[in-house]
Amino acid sequence: RPAGRPLWLGSLKSNIGHAQAAAGVAGVIKMVLALRAGVLPRTLHVDEPSRQVDWSSGAVELLVEERVWPEVGRPRRAGVSGFGVSGTNAHVILEQAPEAVVEVAPGAPGVAAVGGVVPLVVSGSDGAGLRGQARRLLDFVDLRPDAELNQLARSLAASRAGLTERAVVLAGDRSEALAGLAAVAGGEVAGGDVVGRADTQG
């Protein structure tokens, strides 16, 4: 390995205790979060490395301190090993996902419907979640006068989870978006409803 770049070794068990059957899954979750954040979490409760391992040979070091996981011109990778009591062992290598880049050409219609109306899809796990999401979107649009409704609609449709309670705000401009989102946030609209021009057009 390159000098100064050892294989860092950490443990989930020393941080949260023995997770039994969930140990492998918990290790995967830990490293997915580390890949996303670019931080290697430290291993707790390590007074001294095991004397059963020759740490002087090779390039493996314990993560006794939190470390920044730098960009090195290639995806970050991590190995996770789970060792079962019965002797069943599982090993997996995780790789950092590529950055998702969505290019929108100037003037592209995006998800706009006929007449220049875009659907802003709002969802939540229940009524309160639906109203909370609408309130956050309302604040987002209100604080950004130059927000592009096409791009917002595209993001809501493509990158947000579609939860149980849903409402759709049809907006042709910023004022219609604000009014529709305010109706959902205020509880005037229930899940499954469409707000905006569809209401006035019958």
Side-chain angles (χ1 to χ4, degrees):
R1 298 183 61 83
R5 282 176 48 190
L7 177 66
W8 292 106
L9 180 66
S11 170
L12 178 80
K13 182 178 177 181
S14 69
N15 287 38
I16 68 171
H18 202 306
Q20 299 185 31
V25 173
V28 169
I29 292 171
K30 172 186 174 181
M31 294 319 300
V32 166
L33 293 173
L35 287 167
R36 180 182 298 173
V39 175
L40 293 167
R42 70 189 182 105
T43 297
L44 304 180
H45 314 300
V46 178
D47 297 325
E48 63 175 339
S50 170
R51 296 179 182 177
Q52 305 300 315
V53 176
D54 181 8
W55 299 100
S56 63
S57 64
V60 179
E61 293 188 26
L62 287 177
L63 271 167
V64 293
E65 297 293 339
E66 180 180 288
R67 302 182 64 90
V68 174
W69 197 343
E71 294 284 356
V72 293
R74 60 168 176 76
R76 300 184 181 103
R77 297 185 182 94
V80 179
S81 294
F83 303 95
V85 174
S86 65
T88 302
N89 303 326
H91 311 279
V92 64
I93 295 177
L94 305 175
E95 182 175 282
Q96 178 185 14
E99 292 290 336
V101 178
V102 179
E103 296 183 2
V104 181
V111 294
V114 176
V117 178
V118 296
L120 303 177
V121 182
V122 188
S123 72
S125 56
D126 53 24
L130 178 69
R131 293 190 296 273
Q133 176 66 7
R135 194 172 299 111
R136 287 187 289 274
L137 284 171
L138 176 63
D139 292 341
F140 177 87
V141 176
D142 189 38
L143 293 173
R144 293 167 177 79
D146 58 343
E148 290 284 343
L149 292 185
N150 275 359
Q151 293 183 11
L152 179 58
R154 180 192 298 271
S155 177
L156 291 172
S159 63
R160 295 276 183 172
L163 302 177
T164 308
E165 293 293 312
R166 305 180 193 181
V168 179
V169 174
L170 297 180
D173 55 34
R174 184 170 177 271
S175 62
E176 290 181 354
L178 291 171
L181 290 170
V184 180
E188 301 172 31
V189 176
D193 286 348
V194 176
V195 194
R197 293 191 176 187
D199 293 340
T200 61
Q201 291 176 351

